[in-house]
Amino acid sequence: SVPEFGTAGAGGFAQTCNRCHALPSPAQHTAAEWPAVVTRMRGHMRRYEVDTVSDDTAGQIVAYLQRAAVAPSATRPTPAPPR
């Protein structure tokens, strides 16, 4: 399920990313990581001659993913204290 499904960013995410692979969970990356992920995926789309999205749509997708992203502390385990 796509959180915020009725928004432009969520719709762009669902339509664009589904062209090549199953939709990732927005919680798969932190808000800080998503811009680079989307840039990398747009590069893959160009390389494989898949119609890519406009900069505006990519920005909406990134904003959506950042709102739905996991908090940084939730993605990385806290190191154990030294003994």
Side-chain angles (χ1 to χ4, degrees), residues 1 6 9 12 15 21 24 27 30 33 40 43 46-47 51-52 61 71 73 76 82:
S1 133
Q15 290 178 327
H21 55 75
T30 65
E33 293 168 337
R40 186 176 71 242
R46 284 189 289 275
R47 187 174 317 112
D51 288 338
T52 190
I61 292 169
S73 62
R76 291 165 185 79

Side-chain angles (χ1 to χ4, degrees), residues 2-79:
V2 177
E4 299 180 26
F5 187 72
T7 66
F13 166 68
Q15 290 178 327
T16 303
C17 301
N18 240 356
R19 293 180 193 170
C20 301
H21 55 75
L23 292 178
S25 167
Q28 186 172 339
H29 296 285
T30 65
E33 293 168 337
W34 274 117
V37 173
V38 171
T39 297
R40 186 176 71 242
M41 292 298 110
R42 289 178 81 196
H44 291 321
M45 292 173 80
R46 284 189 289 275
R47 187 174 317 112
Y48 294 110
E49 299 179 358
V50 175
D51 288 338
T52 190
V53 296
S54 68
D55 291 343
D56 185 53
T57 299
Q60 291 173 352
I61 292 169
V62 168
Y64 160 71
L65 291 168
Q66 288 177 318
R67 286 192 307 274
V70 67
S73 62
T75 60
R76 291 165 185 79
T78 303

